[in-house]
Amino acid sequence: MQHFDSDYMEGAHPVILQRLLETNMEKTPGYGTDIYCERAEKKILEACGCPEGKVYFMVGGTQVNSTVIGALLKSYEGVVAADTGHISVHEAGAVEATGHKVLTVPGVQGKLLPETLKTYMETYYGDENHEHMVWPGMVYISHPTEYGTLYTKDELEKLHQICGEYHMPLFLDGARLGYGLMADGTDVTLRDVARNCDVFYIGGTKVGALFGEAVVLPKSGWIPHFFTSIKQHGALLAKGRILGIQFDSLFTDNLYFEISRHAIDMAMKLKKGLLERGYTLYMDTVTNQQFVLLDNSQLEALAGQVSCGFWEKRPDGRTVVRFATSWATREEDVDELLEILGQVSRDV
Amino acid sequence: MQHFDSDYMEGAHPVILQRLLETNMEKTPGYGTDIYCERAEKKILEACGCPEGKVYFMVGGTQVNSTVIGALLKSYEGVVAADTGHISVHEAGAVEATGHKVLTVPGVQGKLLPETLKTYMETYYGDENHEHMVWPGMVYISHPTEYGTLYTKDELEKLHQICGEYHMPLFLDGARLGYGLMADGTDVTLRDVARNCDVFYIGGTKVGALFGEAVVLPKSGWIPHFFTSIKQHGALLAKGRILGIQFDSLFTDNLYFEISRHAIDMAMKLKKGLLERGYTLYMDTVTNQQFVLLDNSQLEALAGQVSCGFWEKRPDGRTVVRFATSWATREEDVDELLEILGQVSRDV
Amino acid sequence: MQHFDSDYMEGAHPVILQRLLETNMEKTPGYGTDIYCERAEKKILEACGCPEGKVYFMVGGTQVNSTVIGALLKSYEGVVAADTGHISVHEAGAVEATGHKVLTVPGVQGKLLPETLKTYMETYYGDENHEHMVWPGMVYISHPTEYGTLYTKDELEKLHQICGEYHMPLFLDGARLGYGLMADGTDVTLRDVARNCDVFYIGGTKVGALFGEAVVLPKSGWIPHFFTSIKQHGALLAKGRILGIQFDSLFTDNLYFEISRHAIDMAMKLKKGLLERGYTLYMDTVTNQQFVLLDNSQLEALAGQVSCGFWEKRPDGRTVVRFATSWATREEDVDELLEILGQVSRDV
Amino acid sequence: MQHFDSDYMEGAHPVILQRLLETNMEKTPGYGTDIYCERAEKKILEACGCPEGKVYFMVGGTQVNSTVIGALLKSYEGVVAADTGHISVHEAGAVEATGHKVLTVPGVQGKLLPETLKTYMETYYGDENHEHMVWPGMVYISHPTEYGTLYTKDELEKLHQICGEYHMPLFLDGARLGYGLMADGTDVTLRDVARNCDVFYIGGTKVGALFGEAVVLPKSGWIPHFFTSIKQHGALLAKGRILGIQFDSLFTDNLYFEISRHAIDMAMKLKKGLLERGYTLYMDTVTNQQFVLLDNSQLEALAGQVSCGFWEKRPDGRTVVRFATSWATREEDVDELLEILGQVSRDV
């Protein structure tokens, strides 16, 4: 049985576990005020090219999204997002639970395009009744998107510019940021992200950590009393150092980037194999998630041999499934997966 | 200058003012526990054919919507509504402010069609990840819709049935209910509304009252401690009798229905006149709101002579405007409006 | 049967009803953008001595409290109030429903004393764990308080000063403001209120209006997009002019102050009569609410002859009840009430 | 330098780290649907004597509290808690952020006594205006309390009974449950907790785990769609098995109880030593937290040699500090701490 359901099926990169072992009986103060968080913050800010910034560590993505959005928005504001955005669909209403609307606009292959945002803002301000409507107070994008696609540097800069014109912070959900930064052909670097976003996070859960996300504010002090907001959201880890140690490890010796690249190598091998075996990609992506259209007979044939992620049912009856690679994917497993897929392709 | 901006430009029907005057110095207990609320409730329930129900009076529509929805939904649920629904767009995020998502589905001429709802529910339950998503906990429709259109009795019954299958209450926003019930060709009566909805409200603000909406629960006791929820939403009027007196008047001697019919007569005259003068209706509606497509030269020509409601800008540069009649519209004003419109039509 | 339950048992002052009648069929734009709201605003600001300020009209007190507090607080902040404050006890959790904590401190006869506030703030900042606690973001007081007591000018200035030191807005709930301003011996004027508070409201519901509260911001523009917040709270009256007309009337020819004074005259007559008849006041108040301690035999004897407001049960078995006068109280009713009370006092 | 600041200064018990290492590269499905969570649940339910119950794992205490309370309360309800309760003070308004009030009552040494609860409920229902107030919807207690004190079995049963009478769930915060269950002289067992509470949690963060709390529902299915509520609160760990593995380890071979007992032994040794050296305990507690009153000269003398937790400043100028032992406390560290404390006692 081959498992390609998601990129969070294993534990942590061995280097991280080793560091947790070594530091286990040290005594440190709680809530992220320890030396490991300090070190990790410093290394991350250096990698981002914004040494004067600030980093907060939290446990998971939905938690980060609702905490950041809840802290940034004023009570009469909402967050603009693509209709396929994670906060729009798959977070059980976490943003709304903080009292704010997700203002959805049509995404294109998961992306909120600059022209879509521009039109949305112009329509909003052109509407004479707009004071009866939720004010767009910030913009949320994910990179890679929920469909594994990537923004170009030009798109990112345009989004940044539009946000600036309307005084809206730009927030980037980087749950899989490593897999985006190391993808073939991308022209977006970590420093580009830091330069164009007001706040973003670097995902650890899906990229080598047991869990954990590093929220980066390129300008320090930008969200007042964010510590208290984190506490209010139940997102303040008592033993904060466990997050610090993990990110300190990931941002030492380029580990985060190297293991991300490995996932991309595995995904590209898988993609090539899928196409060679006659499978139809639902979308052409260059990151670690590959979406494939399967009909029911293919689904049945795969059952019991391969597990992958359900994505959506298409009106034509076919199903979109996701194969995800990760830092932990072994090449032999990709080989075996392709073997099975080839067999199914021939049989069905 | 002719004003057809909205159906809430005047005060109250004279009968109501007279009753307020007559009762002014009486002493009554507060918060809707007075004799006038009791009488109004009784008459309304009789008109609805559900004498065993319960009526709560509130001040305005947005207030009713967020109070009812906030009281009905469990914390993990949202409310399904058409994307053009009032709660989806024009209530400044009042529903989200209670912590709940508005789950929008594509409306057809303002209506949430039964087949759309059915597809939505089937897709939701067919999605293997639906436990990560907001649960659809109730359904919101407006009748007439925000575009002046009406559900048929058959549609209403189908919506009721689908809601029943999924154990979701059906909530009908009747801010303009009178104008719907008295429209030409409708087969929906007040009793049909009461039979098919778990909760709905009868709008007073736009139909003869100074303000006020009567929330009807065909089955009493159905929302526990709703009184406290109303208080929590700041929706409990201290001198509740002012609402009772108004609805008691409206539901005496068919007043509510007669003044509603008058608005329809005026709207139909206006509609006929618009078509005769070569105007393009944005939508064919049988209620008191008429939507017309105007180009910029027409808009300019009308400025200073006629005021109407801005609705939306179309991609082709034209503007949708709304002409609204009401219980208070005088026939001579419609005549004069048509005169101006005819002149503009010839000149431009 | 004499009713002294509350100060909102009658309709409106006749001048107001007359004005509603006269203007009834005028057409005005909605949502408080009409000429009557403009006029009322101007007169109120003049009376407050802050012509550059801004006034918003809403329907009721709980609505104002949660809308203002929800708009002013940041997500990590709460509002400091006396434990007997209306928002602390009798608003069904309306403030908490906006996501904010009411930070209660011990009141003294209903008042939040400056020294109590000072100690609270010093303790808060002296607590090394205070970043794990809700930040005190504003201060709420009521004047008169829920127990009919009044702040002195000196106390008000000190509260203002402490709030300034900690950058917290001071919000005054003036549901019965008229009855406070016209009380014997008070040294607090409307201008003092406007000078010392960042936002406050002038109660209409209990002082001559059908309903309505005028929220005054001595400095305009101080709460951004407050219009949208009002809408979000369901507090935006469609026919806003009904509020404008009422406050325009109340602030013409000193009406608000004269009718307030009448209520005080009636209350002082009642208080004198209560003491002469041997009743025990629960608290010595100079405003329109008189609180009396009654034992069970007195309560029983009064039943059927007098209705008054339940306030609280004391550990000794006695009950605190409230007799409230208002702008509408007739002197002969006070006479008759005292007659009954005298009889009961002799019999029991 | 000796650190006794808190019971969460080290990592995890070595057995847990060992298990994380061994299972690290296994692939499991996410969100708590893995075999380790299943095993841990089974062992916990067995220990609780309620095999038909249900266990949910979350990351931290504040997160559990707001998720459970937010899921249980209806929109018009609040949670009753002692004024010193963690949710009342030290969770940055997490409960209020879900829209609910914490209804505080006076605690006695951190405990919410049955008679206090009874009086509160009777007063509430005896208040004729109680429908204008937040309904008490559930009761929160912590065991051990924030002051290290314990409920007796009799008190727990009485609380359970009162809650039952008023149809309110009883929720027990067991962040330090192990230290309570293993304390000298307690007559409360884990089964007593499960029998008397509708929901409670067994703390891992402070008792041997890296992080994690096990929420126990003695009756399965009791909170509908709790999975979705957990997601909404950002409390659903992607790699849920990390929680499962930890609790599976803690509930194998009595580990949880043995390491809890160790902390008690260390605390009792410390307490005895404190008293022998003339220190004044702020409260007499039998659990792992010892509260001591220090004057400023003692505080200064300890600075640089010992770090402990700030608790509160007393009106007399003295400071309450907390010394906490844990599963990880070494006896030689207690000895050295006592040595320092003895020296300071002699010198100051």
Side-chain angles (χ1 to χ4, degrees):
Chain A
M1 183 80 166
Q2 281 297 331
H3 297 277
F4 282 78
D5 312 43
S6 76
D7 34 19
Y8 41 88
M9 301 193 80
E10 292 90 357
H13 192 278
V15 165
I16 284 177
L17 278 192
Q18 186 55 34
R19 289 293 287 143
L20 286 177
L21 269 177
E22 289 165 11
T23 59
N24 191 48
M25 293 309 288
E26 292 180 16
K27 285 169 177 254
T28 55
Y31 307 117
T33 59
D34 61 275
I35 187 72
Y36 298 105
C37 286
E38 199 183 314
R39 278 186 207 160
E41 177 179 43
K42 213 177 154 202
K43 287 179 186 168
I44 287 172
L45 291 176
E46 205 169 304
C48 294
C50 52
E52 76 295 355
K54 181 91 195 91
V55 176
Y56 295 89
F57 299 103
M58 294 189 227
V59 169
T62 296
Q63 186 179 77
V64 168
N65 288 338
S66 62
T67 304
V68 166
I69 292 169
L72 276 177
L73 292 180
K74 298 188 186 76
S75 58
Y76 51 86
E77 293 178 335
V79 54
V80 183
D83 49 9
T84 52
H86 206 256
I87 59 166
S88 311
V89 189
H90 285 113
E91 302 194 351
V95 169
E96 289 83 2
T98 71
H100 299 285
K101 193 181 187 73
V102 180
L103 300 158
T104 50
V105 295
V108 176
Q109 295 203 324
K111 289 160 70 174
L112 167 52
L113 295 183
E115 47 268 33
T116 311
L117 179 61
K118 202 171 164 56
T119 302
Y120 179 81
M121 294 307 295
E122 286 171 359
T123 305
Y124 174 78
Y125 280 101
D127 188 327
E128 291 180 14
N129 300 314
H130 74 82
E131 291 211 324
H132 293 250
M133 297 158 69
V134 174
W135 289 76
M138 66 185 291
V139 172
Y140 166 95
I141 56 173
S142 37
H143 183 85
T145 68
E146 293 71 16
Y147 282 93
T149 51
L150 291 174
Y151 289 88
T152 65
K153 186 172 165 182
D154 180 59
E155 287 168 341
L156 207 55
E157 287 175 347
K158 279 184 178 145
L159 287 171
H160 171 65
Q161 193 193 328
I162 298 167
C163 285
E165 281 167 25
Y166 290 101
H167 306 289
M168 297 184 298
L170 178 59
F171 169 40
L172 183 145
D173 173 336
R176 295 185 171 92
L177 190 56
Y179 302 139
L181 296 174
M182 301 312 288
D184 292 326
T186 182
D187 62 350
V188 172
T189 66
L190 185 54
R191 294 191 171 215
D192 293 328
V193 171
R195 205 163 29 236
N196 286 293
C197 297
D198 298 284
V199 51
F200 65 98
Y201 74 90
I202 302 171
T205 301
K206 289 158 182 161
V207 194
L210 282 174
F211 61 88
E213 321 293 318
V215 181
V216 182
L217 277 70
K219 285 170 297 230
S220 173
W222 188 65
I223 309 183
H225 303 312
F226 194 44
F227 181 93
T228 305
S229 291
I230 294 171
K231 177 77 185 178
Q232 187 183 80
H233 281 261
L236 191 63
L237 196 64
K239 301 181 182 175
R241 79 175 190 217
I242 304 171
L243 291 161
I245 290 165
Q246 293 187 89
F247 276 94
D248 186 27
S249 304
L250 287 170
F251 279 81
T252 298
D253 296 336
N254 265 330
L255 182 63
Y256 188 75
F257 302 97
E258 282 172 14
I259 64 178
S260 293
R261 181 61 219 179
H262 170 76
I264 297 298
D265 289 341
M266 293 302 99
M268 291 307 101
K269 176 173 185 151
L270 172 58
K271 180 183 181 177
K272 188 160 163 283
L274 281 160
L275 290 172
E276 286 169 0
R277 281 154 190 79
Y279 284 90
T280 310
L281 298 182
Y282 177 59
M283 224 170 259
D284 182 24
T285 72
V286 292
T287 61
N288 74 313
Q289 302 180 86
Q290 296 298 319
F291 298 91
V292 184
L293 275 160
L294 299 178
D295 57 34
N296 287 335
S297 56
Q298 289 172 316
L299 273 179
E300 278 168 39
L302 286 173
Q305 300 188 77
V306 169
S307 70
C308 53
F310 169 90
W311 218 244
E312 57 178 89
K313 279 195 182 142
R314 301 297 304 165
D316 65 7
R318 287 191 293 177
T319 301
V320 181
V321 300
R322 179 186 70 175
F323 294 94
T325 66
S326 79
W327 61 275
T329 305
R330 299 183 313 159
E331 187 153 13
E332 53 263 46
D333 288 334
V334 178
D335 287 333
E336 199 182 312
L337 172 64
L338 287 174
E339 180 98 13
I340 300 169
L341 286 166
Q343 190 61 43
V344 164
S345 177
R346 284 189 296 276
D347 293 355
V348 178
Chain B
M1 183 79 167
Q2 281 297 332
H3 296 279
F4 281 78
D5 312 43
S6 75
D7 34 19
Y8 41 89
M9 302 194 78
E10 291 89 356
H13 192 279
V15 165
I16 283 177
L17 278 191
Q18 187 55 35
R19 290 294 287 143
L20 287 177
L21 268 176
E22 289 165 10
T23 58
N24 190 49
M25 294 310 288
E26 291 179 15
K27 285 169 177 253
T28 55
Y31 307 117
T33 59
D34 61 276
I35 186 73
Y36 298 105
C37 285
E38 199 183 312
R39 279 186 207 162
E41 178 180 44
K42 212 178 155 203
K43 289 179 185 169
I44 288 172
L45 291 176
E46 205 168 307
C48 293
C50 52
E52 74 296 356
K54 181 91 195 90
V55 176
Y56 295 89
F57 299 102
M58 294 189 226
V59 169
T62 296
Q63 186 179 76
V64 169
N65 289 338
S66 61
T67 304
V68 167
I69 292 169
L72 276 177
L73 292 179
K74 301 192 184 72
S75 60
Y76 51 86
E77 294 177 335
V79 52
V80 183
D83 49 10
T84 52
H86 206 254
I87 59 165
S88 310
V89 188
H90 285 114
E91 301 195 351
V95 169
E96 288 84 1
T98 71
H100 299 286
K101 192 181 188 74
V102 180
L103 300 159
T104 50
V105 295
V108 175
Q109 296 205 320
K111 289 159 69 176
L112 167 53
L113 296 183
E115 48 267 35
T116 311
L117 179 61
K118 204 170 162 56
T119 302
Y120 179 80
M121 294 308 296
E122 287 171 358
T123 306
Y124 173 78
Y125 280 100
D127 188 328
E128 291 180 14
N129 301 312
H130 73 82
E131 291 212 322
H132 293 252
M133 297 159 71
V134 174
W135 289 77
M138 65 184 290
V139 172
Y140 165 96
I141 57 173
S142 35
H143 182 84
T145 69
E146 293 71 17
Y147 281 93
T149 51
L150 291 175
Y151 289 88
T152 64
K153 189 173 161 181
D154 181 58
E155 287 167 341
L156 207 55
E157 287 174 347
K158 278 184 178 145
L159 287 171
H160 171 65
Q161 193 193 328
I162 298 166
C163 285
E165 282 167 25
Y166 290 102
H167 307 288
M168 298 185 297
L170 178 59
F171 170 39
L172 182 145
D173 173 337
R176 295 184 171 93
L177 188 56
Y179 302 139
L181 297 175
M182 301 310 289
D184 292 325
T186 183
D187 61 351
V188 172
T189 65
L190 185 53
R191 293 189 172 216
D192 292 329
V193 170
R195 205 164 26 236
N196 286 292
C197 297
D198 298 284
V199 51
F200 64 98
Y201 74 91
I202 301 171
T205 300
K206 288 158 182 161
V207 193
L210 282 173
F211 60 87
E213 322 294 317
V215 181
V216 182
L217 276 70
K219 285 170 297 230
S220 173
W222 188 64
I223 310 183
H225 302 313
F226 194 43
F227 182 93
T228 305
S229 291
I230 293 172
K231 178 76 186 179
Q232 186 183 80
H233 281 261
L236 190 64
L237 196 64
K239 300 180 182 175
R241 78 177 192 215
I242 304 170
L243 291 161
I245 290 165
Q246 294 187 88
F247 276 94
D248 186 27
S249 304
L250 288 170
F251 279 81
T252 298
D253 296 338
N254 265 330
L255 183 63
Y256 187 75
F257 302 98
E258 282 172 14
I259 64 178
S260 293
R261 180 61 217 181
H262 170 75
I264 297 298
D265 289 340
M266 294 301 99
M268 292 305 101
K269 177 173 184 151
L270 173 57
K271 181 182 181 179
K272 187 160 163 283
L274 281 162
L275 291 170
E276 285 169 0
R277 280 154 190 80
Y279 284 90
T280 309
L281 298 181
Y282 177 58
M283 224 169 258
D284 182 24
T285 73
V286 292
T287 60
N288 75 313
Q289 303 181 84
Q290 296 297 319
F291 297 91
V292 185
L293 274 160
L294 298 178
D295 58 33
N296 286 335
S297 56
Q298 288 172 317
L299 271 179
E300 278 169 38
L302 286 172
Q305 299 188 79
V306 170
S307 72
C308 53
F310 169 90
W311 219 246
E312 58 178 88
K313 279 194 182 144
R314 301 297 304 164
D316 65 7
R318 286 191 295 178
T319 301
V320 181
V321 300
R322 178 187 70 175
F323 294 95
T325 65
S326 79
W327 61 275
T329 304
R330 299 184 315 161
E331 184 152 16
E332 52 262 47
D333 288 335
V334 178
D335 288 332
E336 200 182 310
L337 172 63
L338 288 173
E339 179 98 14
I340 300 169
L341 287 166
Q343 191 62 44
V344 164
S345 177
R346 286 189 293 275
D347 293 356
V348 177
Chain C
M1 182 82 165
Q2 282 298 329
H3 296 278
F4 281 79
D5 312 45
S6 75
D7 33 19
Y8 42 89
M9 301 194 79
E10 290 90 357
H13 192 277
V15 166
I16 283 177
L17 278 192
Q18 186 54 36
R19 289 293 288 144
L20 287 176
L21 269 177
E22 289 165 11
T23 59
N24 190 48
M25 293 310 288
E26 291 179 16
K27 285 167 176 258
T28 55
Y31 307 117
T33 59
D34 61 276
I35 186 72
Y36 297 105
C37 286
E38 200 183 313
R39 278 185 208 162
E41 178 180 42
K42 212 177 154 203
K43 287 178 186 168
I44 287 172
L45 292 176
E46 204 168 304
C48 293
C50 51
E52 75 294 357
K54 182 93 194 88
V55 176
Y56 295 90
F57 299 103
M58 293 188 226
V59 169
T62 296
Q63 187 179 75
V64 169
N65 288 338
S66 62
T67 305
V68 167
I69 292 169
L72 276 177
L73 291 181
K74 300 189 185 73
S75 59
Y76 51 85
E77 292 177 337
V79 52
V80 183
D83 47 11
T84 52
H86 206 255
I87 59 167
S88 310
V89 188
H90 285 113
E91 302 194 350
V95 169
E96 288 83 2
T98 71
H100 299 286
K101 193 182 190 72
V102 180
L103 301 158
T104 50
V105 295
V108 175
Q109 295 206 322
K111 290 159 70 175
L112 168 52
L113 297 183
E115 48 268 34
T116 310
L117 179 61
K118 203 171 163 56
T119 301
Y120 179 81
M121 295 307 296
E122 286 172 359
T123 305
Y124 174 78
Y125 280 100
D127 187 327
E128 290 179 15
N129 301 313
H130 73 81
E131 292 211 323
H132 292 251
M133 297 158 70
V134 174
W135 289 77
M138 67 185 289
V139 172
Y140 166 95
I141 56 173
S142 37
H143 183 85
T145 68
E146 293 71 17
Y147 281 94
T149 51
L150 291 174
Y151 289 88
T152 64
K153 188 173 163 182
D154 180 59
E155 286 168 341
L156 207 55
E157 288 176 346
K158 279 185 178 145
L159 287 171
H160 171 65
Q161 193 193 328
I162 298 166
C163 285
E165 281 167 26
Y166 289 102
H167 307 288
M168 299 185 295
L170 178 60
F171 170 38
L172 183 145
D173 173 335
R176 296 186 170 91
L177 189 57
Y179 302 139
L181 296 174
M182 301 310 288
D184 293 323
T186 181
D187 61 350
V188 172
T189 66
L190 185 54
R191 295 191 171 215
D192 292 329
V193 170
R195 205 162 30 235
N196 285 294
C197 297
D198 299 283
V199 52
F200 66 98
Y201 75 92
I202 301 172
T205 300
K206 289 162 181 158
V207 193
L210 281 174
F211 60 88
E213 322 293 318
V215 182
V216 182
L217 277 70
K219 285 170 297 229
S220 174
W222 188 63
I223 309 184
H225 303 312
F226 194 44
F227 182 93
T228 306
S229 291
I230 293 172
K231 179 77 184 177
Q232 187 184 79
H233 281 262
L236 192 63
L237 196 65
K239 301 181 182 175
R241 79 177 188 216
I242 303 170
L243 291 162
I245 290 166
Q246 292 188 87
F247 275 95
D248 187 25
S249 304
L250 287 170
F251 278 82
T252 298
D253 296 337
N254 265 330
L255 183 62
Y256 187 74
F257 302 99
E258 282 171 15
I259 63 178
S260 293
R261 181 61 218 181
H262 171 74
I264 297 298
D265 288 340
M266 294 301 99
M268 291 306 102
K269 176 173 185 153
L270 172 57
K271 180 183 180 177
K272 190 161 161 281
L274 281 162
L275 291 172
E276 284 169 0
R277 280 155 191 78
Y279 284 90
T280 309
L281 299 181
Y282 178 58
M283 226 170 255
D284 182 24
T285 73
V286 292
T287 61
N288 75 312
Q289 301 181 86
Q290 296 298 320
F291 297 91
V292 184
L293 275 161
L294 298 179
D295 57 36
N296 286 337
S297 55
Q298 289 172 318
L299 272 179
E300 278 169 39
L302 287 172
Q305 299 189 79
V306 169
S307 71
C308 52
F310 170 90
W311 219 243
E312 58 177 89
K313 279 193 183 145
R314 301 298 302 166
D316 65 8
R318 287 191 294 176
T319 301
V320 180
V321 300
R322 178 185 72 173
F323 295 94
T325 66
S326 80
W327 62 275
T329 304
R330 298 183 314 160
E331 186 153 12
E332 52 263 45
D333 287 334
V334 177
D335 288 333
E336 199 182 311
L337 172 64
L338 287 174
E339 179 99 13
I340 300 169
L341 287 166
Q343 190 63 43
V344 164
S345 177
R346 282 188 297 277
D347 293 355
V348 177
Chain D
M1 181 81 166
Q2 280 299 331
H3 296 278
F4 281 79
D5 312 45
S6 76
D7 34 19
Y8 42 89
M9 302 194 79
E10 290 90 355
H13 191 279
V15 166
I16 284 177
L17 278 192
Q18 186 55 34
R19 289 294 287 143
L20 288 176
L21 268 177
E22 289 165 11
T23 59
N24 191 48
M25 294 311 286
E26 291 179 16
K27 285 168 177 255
T28 55
Y31 307 118
T33 59
D34 60 276
I35 185 71
Y36 297 106
C37 286
E38 201 183 313
R39 278 186 207 163
E41 178 180 42
K42 212 176 154 205
K43 288 179 185 169
I44 287 172
L45 291 177
E46 203 167 307
C48 294
C50 52
E52 77 294 358
K54 180 92 194 90
V55 175
Y56 295 89
F57 299 103
M58 294 190 226
V59 170
T62 296
Q63 187 178 77
V64 169
N65 288 337
S66 61
T67 304
V68 168
I69 292 169
L72 276 178
L73 291 181
K74 302 193 183 69
S75 61
Y76 51 86
E77 293 177 335
V79 53
V80 183
D83 48 11
T84 51
H86 206 256
I87 59 166
S88 311
V89 188
H90 284 113
E91 301 193 352
V95 169
E96 288 84 1
T98 71
H100 298 285
K101 193 182 188 74
V102 180
L103 300 159
T104 50
V105 294
V108 174
Q109 296 206 322
K111 290 160 69 175
L112 168 51
L113 297 183
E115 48 267 33
T116 311
L117 179 61
K118 201 170 165 56
T119 302
Y120 180 81
M121 295 308 294
E122 286 172 358
T123 306
Y124 174 77
Y125 280 100
D127 187 328
E128 292 180 14
N129 301 311
H130 73 82
E131 291 211 323
H132 293 251
M133 298 159 69
V134 174
W135 289 76
M138 66 184 290
V139 172
Y140 166 95
I141 56 172
S142 34
H143 183 85
T145 69
E146 293 71 16
Y147 282 93
T149 51
L150 291 175
Y151 288 89
T152 63
K153 188 173 164 183
D154 180 59
E155 286 167 341
L156 207 55
E157 288 175 347
K158 280 185 178 145
L159 287 171
H160 171 64
Q161 192 193 329
I162 298 167
C163 285
E165 282 167 25
Y166 290 101
H167 306 288
M168 300 185 296
L170 179 60
F171 170 37
L172 183 146
D173 173 337
R176 296 186 169 94
L177 189 57
Y179 303 140
L181 296 174
M182 301 311 287
D184 293 324
T186 183
D187 61 351
V188 172
T189 66
L190 185 53
R191 295 189 170 215
D192 293 328
V193 170
R195 204 163 29 236
N196 286 292
C197 297
D198 299 283
V199 51
F200 65 96
Y201 74 92
I202 301 171
T205 301
K206 289 160 181 159
V207 193
L210 281 174
F211 60 88
E213 322 293 318
V215 181
V216 182
L217 276 70
K219 285 172 296 231
S220 174
W222 188 64
I223 309 184
H225 303 313
F226 194 44
F227 181 92
T228 306
S229 291
I230 293 172
K231 179 75 184 179
Q232 187 183 79
H233 281 263
L236 191 62
L237 196 65
K239 301 181 182 175
R241 79 178 190 214
I242 304 170
L243 290 162
I245 290 165
Q246 293 187 87
F247 276 93
D248 186 26
S249 304
L250 287 170
F251 278 81
T252 299
D253 296 338
N254 265 330
L255 183 62
Y256 187 73
F257 302 97
E258 282 172 14
I259 63 178
S260 292
R261 180 61 217 180
H262 171 75
I264 297 299
D265 289 341
M266 294 302 100
M268 291 307 101
K269 176 172 186 153
L270 172 57
K271 181 182 180 178
K272 186 157 164 284
L274 281 162
L275 291 172
E276 285 169 359
R277 281 155 191 80
Y279 285 89
T280 309
L281 298 182
Y282 177 57
M283 225 170 259
D284 182 24
T285 73
V286 292
T287 62
N288 75 313
Q289 303 180 85
Q290 296 298 318
F291 298 92
V292 184
L293 275 161
L294 299 178
D295 57 34
N296 287 335
S297 55
Q298 288 171 317
L299 272 178
E300 278 169 40
L302 287 172
Q305 298 189 80
V306 170
S307 72
C308 52
F310 169 89
W311 218 244
E312 58 177 88
K313 277 191 184 147
R314 301 297 303 165
D316 65 6
R318 287 191 293 177
T319 301
V320 180
V321 299
R322 179 185 71 176
F323 293 95
T325 66
S326 80
W327 62 275
T329 303
R330 301 185 309 163
E331 185 153 13
E332 52 262 46
D333 287 334
V334 178
D335 288 333
E336 198 181 313
L337 171 64
L338 287 174
E339 178 101 13
I340 300 170
L341 287 167
Q343 190 63 43
V344 163
S345 176
R346 284 189 295 275
D347 291 356
V348 177

